Amino acid sequence: MTGSAPAARPGGVIGVLAFAGIVAALTQTLVVPLIGDLPRLLGTTASNASWVVTATLLAGAVTTPVAGRLGDLYGKRRMMLVACGPLLAGSVLCAVSSSVVPMIAGRGLQGMGMGIVPLGISALRDLLPPERLGTAIALMSSSMGIGGAFGLPLSAAVAEHASWRALFWGSAGLAAAITALIWLLIPATPPAARAGGAPRRFDGVGAIGLGSGLVCLLLAVSKGGDWGWGSGTTLGLFAAAAVALLAWGWWERRTPAPLVDLRLAARPQVLLTNAASLVVGFAMYAQSLIVPQLLQLPEETGYGLGQSMLAMGLWMAPSGLVMMAVSPLGARLSAARGPKFTLCAGSLVIALGYGSSVCLLGSTWTLLVVTCLCTAGVGLAYGAMPALIMAAVPRSETGSANSFNTLMRSIGTSVSAAVVGVVLAQMTTEFAGHALPSEAGFRTGMLIGCGVALAAALIAATIPARTPDARDGQSTGEGPAAPPAEEPAAARA
């Protein structure tokens, strides 16, 4: 421990890091109640206002792998404190913004704070005794969904009854609080030595290459519906993303200190877990796009439920409580049967939730059942993913590996938004002179979510068993979760 670092108290560590993850995720949903009003509030067009959402997505995707690698190199507690800086600064900038450019900049800064989640998950491995690790990882990993579920009704209530600026002043206060709590209650996490005497330096070229590729890919995915999927801009961005990511992979395979160790990422347990994470991210987000619209569409459509923004948020909030309740159950299931089993089970529960929508789209209460089933599955799956990743990589790579896994989930949600958006845009009905998504469109979107969740279960089922490896001292991905072993003495020397 460093001189000013506090001693580890497991309960305090778990509580602070889970709270930090929830706050970071909550900031992502702050603007949802404002989306329709942003053009008027900021004096801009709807197209320009959409960048308020896109900027957060891009900034989080680009900086999360960088934050994870820097956490491995310089200490995870230190990098969590660094990540709190843009989260706080971005919140203040958004609160004082009166035009679209500073608002976009502020939302980009807020997106940079998302690195707190994978850094916190990785820090748990360094700070907690083995018997507390599984439950803590499950709770921390689920914090993204919990924060999103709670953030929607909270932001809707504030937006409806107070100034919209209060949302961002509130997030600034929460960012300041988690900065203080991390500083006071989280012990230092010294950087782990790399095995084999590999050099310890940051891969700037790799960061630029991965960032460039992700920006091109996610811009094409998130804005393709507006620009046209066959437009030169969209196709050019997809082509640029392919070139940039292939060049990045070539570089990462040859540099002695890569941003992401692709040899580790190619291990079957890591590769298939990341593939399942991408697909689960898709499945998780589809119902988040569909259910709020169903709740708010007018009852006169025949399938809308006529709820206000605040009421919609309140109907969605129990799903966050369900995810929080399921997380420790998932940890116990992983301890008994292995995280692979939990990931499969979670994916099947998500599929059950979507499948039940075939006969449960008619009322608010039945939609509540659908959302709770889906988020219960997400809670199981999200808790199992980091356990599988950390069982397959050495301690010196946990920050980078968990950040890359978080990135896979984010890409999955982005693709989900694009696919579901296309379905709802193509399957419409006329109502009061306006084109609205049809009931068939909503049902198709839910069935796509069901199919994708089943695909995630199939991918998870192929994750191989892994026995302890003398070279990196890691535990198996099957059976009861063994405590992560230290690296060989030669690597620590």
Side-chain angles (χ1 to χ4, degrees):
M1 302 295 176
T2 60
S4 62
R9 294 183 176 87
V13 168
I14 296 170
V16 169
L17 294 182
F19 177 57
I22 290 171
V23 170
L26 186 148
T27 62
Q28 310 305 297
T29 59
L30 281 181
V31 298
V32 171
L34 302 175
I35 288 174
D37 292 330
L38 282 176
R40 175 180 58 82
L41 294 172
L42 301 175
T44 188
T45 65
S47 178
N48 288 338
S50 69
W51 286 96
V52 172
V53 176
T54 305
T56 311
L57 165 72
L58 294 178
V62 170
T63 59
T64 293
V66 173
R69 185 73 191 116
L70 291 173
D72 289 333
L73 291 174
Y74 303 112
K76 301 173 186 73
R77 173 180 180 261
R78 178 180 298 175
M79 291 313 303
M80 281 190 285
L81 290 169
V82 170
C84 288
L87 191 63
L88 175 57
S91 299
V92 172
L93 182 56
C94 288
V96 301
S97 294
S98 298
S99 61
V100 69
V101 172
M103 177 66 81
I104 291 171
R107 289 291 291 166
L109 287 170
Q110 284 187 319
M112 293 173 67
M114 285 304 295
I116 289 175
V117 176
L119 285 168
I121 293 171
S122 302
L124 291 171
R125 183 181 186 182
D126 298 333
L127 298 174
L128 296 184
E131 64 273 11
R132 301 290 297 272
L133 188 58
T135 301
I137 288 175
L139 179 60
M140 182 71 189
S141 186
S142 298
S143 64
M144 295 176 70
I146 295 168
F150 288 157
L152 188 57
L154 177 63
S155 56
V158 172
E160 189 170 310
H161 299 291
S163 167
W164 63 271
R165 298 182 189 277
L167 292 172
F168 296 104
W169 286 120
S171 68
L174 290 172
I178 62 173
T179 303
L181 289 171
I182 291 172
W183 177 267
L184 294 172
L185 298 178
I186 302 301
T189 52
R194 287 177 60 82
R200 298 185 51 80
R201 62 174 180 266
F202 181 69
D203 178 18
V205 174
I208 293 171
L210 179 59
S212 301
L214 288 174
V215 166
C216 293
L217 174 64
L218 294 176
L219 267 181
V221 169
S222 60
K223 305 295 286 185
D226 297 331
W227 295 337
W229 293 106
S231 70
T233 301
T234 303
L235 295 177
L237 284 170
F238 276 126
V243 171
L245 292 174
L246 286 171
W248 171 76
W250 178 87
W251 170 263
E252 294 295 281
R253 291 278 296 179
R254 284 156 179 78
T255 185
L259 179 74
V260 177
D261 191 332
L262 294 182
R263 292 175 179 83
L264 286 179
R267 289 181 176 181
Q269 182 164 324
V270 178
L271 179 65
L272 291 170
T273 300
N274 282 331
S277 299
L278 189 151
V279 180
V280 169
F282 184 111
M284 179 274 293
Y285 201 60
Q287 59 91 21
S288 300
L289 296 169
I290 292 171
V291 173
Q293 293 189 64
L294 278 172
L295 286 168
Q296 293 182 90
L297 283 175
E299 293 180 341
E300 291 77 11
T301 60
Y303 52 91
L305 298 172
Q307 302 294 305
S308 67
M309 170 64 75
L310 177 57
M312 178 275 293
L314 292 173
W315 279 108
M316 297 291 289
S319 62
L321 296 174
V322 169
M323 190 179 295
M324 184 179 292
V326 163
S327 294
L329 298 178
R332 286 196 283 272
L333 183 61
S334 292
R337 301 294 300 274
K340 170 184 170 179
F341 181 89
T342 307
L343 179 54
C344 286
S347 301
L348 291 174
V349 172
I350 297 171
L352 175 63
Y354 279 113
S356 69
S357 70
V358 171
C359 55
L360 294 180
L361 288 188
S363 73
T364 50
W365 287 103
T366 54
L367 271 182
L368 180 62
V369 173
V370 171
T371 58
C372 287
L373 280 172
C374 289
T375 53
V378 171
L380 293 173
Y382 271 24
M385 293 167 189
L388 285 164
I389 293 293
M390 290 196 288
V393 302
R395 190 179 296 271
S396 61
E397 300 291 333
T398 53
S400 176
N402 273 316
S403 295
F404 197 74
N405 181 253
T406 300
L407 173 63
M408 291 298 102
R409 302 187 213 178
S410 298
I411 293 175
T413 61
S414 300
V415 175
S416 177
V419 171
V420 173
V422 168
V423 169
L424 297 184
Q426 295 298 317
M427 303 180 71
T428 61
T429 185
E430 287 293 323
F431 177 78
H434 300 282
L436 297 177
S438 66
E439 183 178 10
F442 288 124
R443 292 188 180 277
T444 300
M446 298 295 269
L447 289 175
I448 290 172
C450 180
V452 169
L454 289 174
L458 289 174
I459 294 171
T462 65
I463 296 174
R466 188 166 183 277
T467 55
D469 189 329
R471 292 172 300 172
D472 57 30
Q474 302 308 306
S475 61
T476 179
E478 294 289 339
E486 296 289 344
E487 292 190 15
R492 297 195 303 267

